[in-house]
Amino acid sequence: MTKLDPKEKALFEALLKLESIEECHKFFADLCTPAEMTAMTDRWRVAQLLDEGMAYRQIYEKTGVSTATVTRVARSLEYGAGYRLLLDRSQRARRKG
């Protein structure tokens, strides 16, 4: 695992203290600009659609997210770990629910 900058670590520790969707919404509304929130929610939606097997062009047509962003998210899904971690946990939660 990569060594975290102490300021990043402090932020992530704070995030782990959030206890509900409402708390997350309040915190992120304060932390991020509306454009940053849109960008993050778009990337998360793209990750979900890629995981479902949707083609890049279809994702662009469905969401309006640029193909460059779709490609970037796909690369992160292939070589990263964060999207995959949350997608897998979300799938497990849906199966349990």
Side-chain angles (χ1 to χ4, degrees):
M1 181 157 120
T2 313
K3 184 173 164 86
L4 291 177
D5 175 280
K7 292 178 284 187
E8 287 179 342
K9 184 177 184 222
L11 172 63
F12 300 142
E13 286 172 342
L15 288 170
L16 290 172
K17 291 174 177 55
L18 297 169
E19 296 179 358
S20 67
I21 290 172
E22 292 78 18
E23 288 182 2
C24 287
H25 180 263
K26 288 176 184 178
F27 181 76
F28 278 95
D30 286 349
L31 181 67
C32 302
T33 65
E36 291 167 333
M37 281 300 300
T38 297
M40 287 190 295
T41 56
D42 284 349
R43 289 182 195 130
W44 178 241
R45 183 67 183 134
V46 167
Q48 293 170 312
L49 295 172
L50 285 167
D51 194 49
E52 292 171 11
M54 190 175 284
Y56 291 22
R57 177 64 55 188
Q58 287 176 300
I59 293 171
Y60 165 74
E61 291 168 359
K62 181 179 182 97
T63 65
V65 174
S66 74
T67 54
T69 297
V70 174
T71 300
R72 191 174 318 119
V73 171
R75 193 173 323 119
S76 292
L77 265 173
E78 185 172 346
Y79 299 109
Y83 285 125
R84 175 57 43 213
L85 175 71
L86 288 182
L87 287 166
D88 290 348
R89 285 187 183 167
S90 295
Q91 288 173 356
R92 280 197 302 271
R94 279 193 303 274
R95 283 194 295 263
K96 286 182 183 179

